[in-house]
């Protein structure tokens, strides 16, 4: 059962922004300050800069591959299933672990505001159950809930900056420059995970309205607004709290708010912190639960994880499993080390995502057609891979060892449970073929990937096939490269079609010429639609022809690059007229001929028509 498309721009923006603003702002500033002092402001700036390549890369991939699962889906289809298994588990666990930390944050601030609530973990579990029910019932309701909380949160943080700025003391920023770069790098690695939630919305791309347009827009707006707020809020906090007080608190924003505005400030920012953790936890359940669903579609996990509620249109098994995992983490495990491991997993994911974009751009996959393209390619992606590798090296030996063990676990899972199901080849193999310039694997193995991407593009553009699309899917395609005149073209086509039509080549040639005498079929500059009537009944088909250098149709007209050959029996005249109407509508799109001439091969020509914008009839 397909997922419902209920998430608009504000819901997507709120999921991205809400997932960013949590522990990274309400807890980590004091820890980063302990490592780098006032220069920790620069750590947030550097983290934002390091995040940009991944934002741009994931925005592009999300518009070309609008499928639930986000990073898992991209990595699996581009780098191959072994990498996809690792990406799937890493993405699922890292988001769930980060969201578990947010749930504990809710409990901690609830105890701070309401001291009578003395069981922090019980509060966290209660909120987890609430978000689980919310996500089970409706993604749309969950999205509206997220919008409301993010509006309150952004408003509270903006007020904090405006009111707090006059209270900042310049001496608290001295000394700003530290003698060694390592503390700033360590603090950058620490706060980098604060920005990682931004890219969670690609996991719900399949449930987004106009995903090709809205996902990049939502991600970039959230990135810009929240990054600026991060730096301003941290700067105000450092300017308000003395060194000793800032280093010794785990609620730096709320503590600074008390200095700025007394108890009311403490209460407001504590509620804002709770709102931040709430949006992170809610977005975490929403996005993390889509990963096992996507993995089940590819047989990496049991198919039960892909079950979608017929009533609510939500993946209920994946949601319940993800929530149960988060409750176990909250109740039984130490979150601090797991948060570090989650950070390492997330950075590892970003390395694979940026590498995936490089591979898919160079692999020549014809149905990879994003509506947004990352600028400064591939230099931004290469920079990101190197920078992220340095960050991972700063995470410490324990997270690194756990990550190595996790990679071994993922590969073992692939070898034991999935290897026998592998049925497609990745874009990475295609790239290897291009580099080696020889066929090392059957070309038909790539058709599964191409067809899957074509289906995704149709869904992205809300295309429901009609009779003309079905004709195009079955059409014979001829891709010519040498120039010729109309008579030679008719002879070439007649020779190619005569065995199929079971007619002599001269007879077919004569039918085309006779039809042309009646009226010129060069309908618009660059396009011709010759057609012939066949004997018999119940037969109609299309032949698609591209001539890159052009066909000289007559002396007065421009060379013809696109030819739609229509052949049918008299009883199919209605279908003939509908095909003409579809062609006319398709040609009204000014970009059609450019896409037609730029198509890579015959199948890309077919995809150009199947993805064209026109009014389709049921």
């Amino acid at each position: 059962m397909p997922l419902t498309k209920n998430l608009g721009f504000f819901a997507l923006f709120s999921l991205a922004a809400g997932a960013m603003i949590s522990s990274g702002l309400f807890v980590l500033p004091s820890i980063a300050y302990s490592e780098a002092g006032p220069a920790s402001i620069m750590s947030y700036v550097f983290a934002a800069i390091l995040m940009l390549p991944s934002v741009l890369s994931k925005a592009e991939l999300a518009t070309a591959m609008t499928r639930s699962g986000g990073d898992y889906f991209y990595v699996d289809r581009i780098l191959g299933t072994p990498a996809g298994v690792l990406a799937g588990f890493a993405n699922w666990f890292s988001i769930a672990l980060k969201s578990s930390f947010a749930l504990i944050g809710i409990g901690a601030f609830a105890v701070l505001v309401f001291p009578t609530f003395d069981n922090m973990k019980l509060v966290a579990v209660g909120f987890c159950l609430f978000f689980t029910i919310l996500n089970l019932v409706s993604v749309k309701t969950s999205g509206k809930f997220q919008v409301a909380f993010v509006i309150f949160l952004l408003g509270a943080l903006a007020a904090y900056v405006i009111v707090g700025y006059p209270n900042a003391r310049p001496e608290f920023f001295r000394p700003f420059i530290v003698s060694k770069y390592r503390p700033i790098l360590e603090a950058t690695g620490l706060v980098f995970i604060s920005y990682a939630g931004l890219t969670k919305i690609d996991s719900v791309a399949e449930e987004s309205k106009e995903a090709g347009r809205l996902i990049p827009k939502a991600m970039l707006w959230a990135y810009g607004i929240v990054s600026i707020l991060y730096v301003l809020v941290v700067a105000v906090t450092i300017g308000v709290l003395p060194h000793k007080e800032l280093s010794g608190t785990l609620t730096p924003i709320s503590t600074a708010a008390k200095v700025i505005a007394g108890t009311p400030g403490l209460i407001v920012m504590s509620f804002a912190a709770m709102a931040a953790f709430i949006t992170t936890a809610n977005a975490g359940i929403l996005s993390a639960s889509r990963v096992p669903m996507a993995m089940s579609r590819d047989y990496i996990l049991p198919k039960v994880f892909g079950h979608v509620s017929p009533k609510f249109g939500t993946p209920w098994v994946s949601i319940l499993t993800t929530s149960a995992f988060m409750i176990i983490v909250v109740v039984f495990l130490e979150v601090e080390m797991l948060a570090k491991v989650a950070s390492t997993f997330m950075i590892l994911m970003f390395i694979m995502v940026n590498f995936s974009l490089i591979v898919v751009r160079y692999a020549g996959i014809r149905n990879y057609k994003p509506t947004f393209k990352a600028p400064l390619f591939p230099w931004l992606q290469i920079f990101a891979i190197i920078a992220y590798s340095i960050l991972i090296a700063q995470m410490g030996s324990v997270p690194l060892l756990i990550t190595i063990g996790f990679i071994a676990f993922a590969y073992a899972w692939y070898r034991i449970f999935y290897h026998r199901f592998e049925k497609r080849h990745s874009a990475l193999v295609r790239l290897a073929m291009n580099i080696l310039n020889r066929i090392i694997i059957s070309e038909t193995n790539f058709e599964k990937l191409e067809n899957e991407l074509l289906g995704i593009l149709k869904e992205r553009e809300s295309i429901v096939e009609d009779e003309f699309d079905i004709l195009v899917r079955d059409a014979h395609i001829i891709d010519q490269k040498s120039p010729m005149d109309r008579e030679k073209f008719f002879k070439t086509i007649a020779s190619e079609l005569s065995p199929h039509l079971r007619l002599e080549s001269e007879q077919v040639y004569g039918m085309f010429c006779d039809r042309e005498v009646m009226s010129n079929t060069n309908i618009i500059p660059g396009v011709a639609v010759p057609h012939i009537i066949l004997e018999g009944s119940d037969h109609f088909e299309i032949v698609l022809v591209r001539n890159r250098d052009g066909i000289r149709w007559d002396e007065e007209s421009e060379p013809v690059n696109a030819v739609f050959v229509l052949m049918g029996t008299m009883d199919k005249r209605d279908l003939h007229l509908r095909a003409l109407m579809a062609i006319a509508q398709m040609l009204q799109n000014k970009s059609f001929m450019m896409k037609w001439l730029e198509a890579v091969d015959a199948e890309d020509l077919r995809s150009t028509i199947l993805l064209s914008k026109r009014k389709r009839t049921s």
Side-chain angles (χ1 to χ4, degrees):
M1 180 176 175
L3 297 169
T4 53
K5 295 182 179 295
N6 285 320
L7 299 176
F9 170 74
F10 288 107
L12 292 170
F13 169 83
S14 299
L15 285 172
M20 286 177 71
I21 306 174
S22 61
S23 60
L25 189 59
F26 287 97
V27 174
L28 291 184
S30 59
I31 301 174
Y33 181 86
S34 299
E35 294 189 7
S40 58
I41 296 173
M42 297 307 301
S43 297
Y44 279 88
V45 174
F46 292 154
I49 294 171
L50 291 176
M51 190 66 210
L52 184 59
S54 292
V55 171
L56 296 172
S57 295
K58 293 183 75 169
E60 175 175 330
L61 291 167
T63 64
M65 302 180 179
T66 52
R67 275 290 181 269
S68 290
D71 295 338
Y72 156 70
F73 189 83
Y74 315 146
V75 173
D76 180 82
R77 297 314 191 262
I78 297 172
L79 300 185
T81 302
V85 173
L86 172 61
F89 283 121
N91 197 25
W92 184 13
F93 291 146
S94 62
I95 295 174
L97 290 171
K98 188 174 186 292
S99 300
S100 300
F101 187 72
L103 288 170
I104 291 178
I106 295 172
F109 276 91
V111 171
L112 177 66
V113 178
F114 305 105
T116 53
F117 291 167
D118 59 352
N119 194 324
M120 180 179 68
K121 290 192 173 184
L122 184 61
V123 174
V125 170
F127 270 95
C128 185
L129 293 174
F130 170 70
F131 297 141
T132 300
I133 295 170
L134 194 65
N135 280 275
L136 283 171
V137 171
S138 171
V139 170
K140 187 175 182 179
T141 303
S142 180
K144 289 181 177 179
F145 176 85
Q146 193 83 356
V147 170
F149 269 87
V150 167
I151 290 173
F152 164 70
L153 183 58
L154 294 179
L157 292 174
Y160 175 85
V161 171
I162 293 170
V163 177
Y165 174 74
N167 293 274
R169 300 172 62 176
E171 61 268 24
F172 287 173
F173 292 96
R174 302 189 189 104
F176 188 81
I177 303 298
V178 294
S179 58
K180 298 180 179 180
Y181 69 89
R182 187 176 180 85
I184 296 179
L185 284 181
E186 289 179 353
T188 300
L190 178 70
V191 303
F192 181 77
I193 194 64
S194 309
Y195 294 84
L198 166 68
T199 58
K200 285 181 183 179
I201 61 171
D202 60 2
S203 292
V204 294
E206 198 172 336
E207 296 156 90
S208 307
K209 300 174 184 177
E210 299 182 75
R213 182 176 67 88
L214 295 184
I215 284 183
K217 184 178 177 182
M219 288 176 68
L220 290 171
W221 272 99
Y223 169 79
I225 291 174
V226 177
S227 295
I228 293 171
L229 268 178
Y230 261 20
V231 174
L232 293 177
V233 169
V234 170
V236 168
T237 304
I238 292 173
V240 168
L241 291 179
H243 170 79
K244 186 175 181 180
E245 191 171 357
L246 179 54
S247 301
T249 179
L250 286 178
T251 57
I253 310 302
S254 299
T255 303
K258 185 175 182 180
V259 173
I260 296 168
T263 302
L266 170 67
I267 293 174
V268 170
M269 293 314 297
S270 295
F271 272 113
M274 288 185 64
F277 288 122
I278 285 170
T279 55
T280 297
N282 182 54
I285 293 177
L286 178 63
S287 56
S289 61
R290 271 50 180 179
V291 179
M293 180 186 69
M295 294 170 73
S296 72
R297 290 173 172 175
D298 295 333
Y299 306 102
I300 293 174
L301 290 175
K303 294 200 72 173
V304 68
F305 284 91
H307 286 183
V308 176
S309 166
K311 183 176 181 180
F312 300 115
T314 54
W316 63 276
V317 176
S318 291
I319 291 173
L320 289 176
T321 305
T322 301
S323 300
F325 172 74
M326 290 169 63
I327 289 173
I328 291 171
V329 169
V330 167
V331 174
F332 295 106
L333 302 179
E334 292 183 14
V335 178
E336 186 174 353
M337 181 53 68
L338 288 172
K340 277 194 171 184
V341 175
S343 299
T344 308
F345 285 169
M346 194 69 76
I347 296 171
L348 181 63
M349 281 298 314
F350 289 160
I351 290 174
M352 289 193 285
V353 165
N354 281 279
F355 182 57
S356 294
L357 184 62
I358 294 173
V359 169
V360 77
R361 283 271 200 109
Y362 287 121
I365 304 298
R366 61 175 175 267
N367 284 325
Y368 177 76
K369 297 181 178 181
T371 57
F372 171 87
K373 283 202 169 185
L376 300 177
F377 174 88
W379 307 113
L380 267 183
Q381 287 68 38
I382 294 172
F383 163 75
I385 291 170
I386 295 171
Y388 294 161
S389 299
I390 294 172
L391 280 183
I392 287 181
Q394 303 293 325
M395 300 299 270
S397 58
V398 175
L400 279 176
L401 290 173
I402 293 175
T403 302
I404 292 170
F406 185 81
I407 293 172
F409 159 77
Y411 184 71
W413 184 282
Y414 162 75
R415 295 299 303 179
I416 296 171
F417 295 103
Y418 179 79
H419 184 64
R420 63 187 182 276
F421 292 113
E422 188 168 12
K423 298 177 182 178
R424 63 175 173 272
H425 293 293
S426 65
L428 182 60
V429 176
R430 164 73 81 173
L431 179 60
M433 289 171 56
N434 293 344
I435 293 172
L436 294 173
N437 196 30
R438 59 191 179 95
I439 301 299
I440 57 176
I441 294 177
S442 171
E443 186 73 15
T444 58
N445 288 316
F446 292 102
E447 289 305 313
K448 294 182 175 66
L449 176 60
E450 292 285 10
N451 291 335
E452 183 177 28
L453 292 178
L454 178 61
I456 291 172
L457 292 174
K458 287 180 182 177
E459 187 176 325
R460 185 188 73 188
E461 302 297 330
S462 300
I463 293 174
V464 179
E465 285 190 344
D466 60 5
E467 283 182 302
F468 182 73
D469 289 313
I470 295 172
L471 289 169
V472 170
R473 272 202 286 111
D474 298 333
H476 179 52
I477 301 177
I478 302 171
D479 196 6
Q480 301 174 334
K481 296 182 180 180
S482 57
M484 60 184 69
D485 58 23
R486 186 179 64 193
E487 284 66 30
K488 183 178 179 181
F489 171 74
F490 282 156
K491 288 179 180 178
T492 302
I493 292 296
S495 176
E496 191 147 348
L497 294 179
S498 62
H500 171 67
L501 297 176
R502 297 181 180 178
L503 297 171
E504 293 294 327
S505 176
E506 292 77 8
Q507 185 180 355
V508 178
Y509 169 73
M511 295 168 72
F512 278 117
C513 291
D514 292 344
R515 178 63 188 84
E516 202 67 26
V517 170
M518 296 174 59
S519 63
N520 192 330
T521 58
N522 180 196
I523 57 173
I524 64 171
V527 180
V529 188
H531 44 276
I532 58 176
I533 298 175
L534 303 174
E535 294 183 357
S537 62
D538 197 29
H539 183 83
F540 188 85
E541 61 182 298
I542 298 177
V543 177
L544 308 173
V545 184
R546 174 177 67 176
N547 189 297
R548 294 176 186 270
D549 293 327
I551 303 165
R552 297 187 304 278
W553 210 260
D554 51 48
E555 294 297 330
E556 295 79 20
S557 302
E558 295 180 9
V560 170
N561 301 110
V563 183
F564 300 85
V565 182
L566 308 183
M567 304 181 296
T569 54
M570 283 298 296
D571 60 327
K572 290 294 182 179
R573 294 295 295 170
D574 287 346
L575 183 53
H576 177 97
L577 294 174
R578 289 198 294 275
L580 286 175
M581 184 179 298
I583 293 169
Q585 290 178 352
M586 187 170 57
L587 294 174
Q588 289 176 1
N589 189 335
K590 295 180 180 179
S591 65
F592 174 79
M593 284 304 296
M594 180 182 68
K595 293 177 180 178
W596 180 262
L597 291 173
E598 290 177 350
V600 177
D601 53 23
E603 290 305 315
D604 201 13
L605 291 170
R606 194 190 311 274
S607 297
T608 300
I609 297 176
L610 293 176
L611 296 173
S612 64
K613 293 185 180 297
R614 60 181 179 81
K615 184 178 180 181
R616 285 169 165 79
T617 56
S618 57

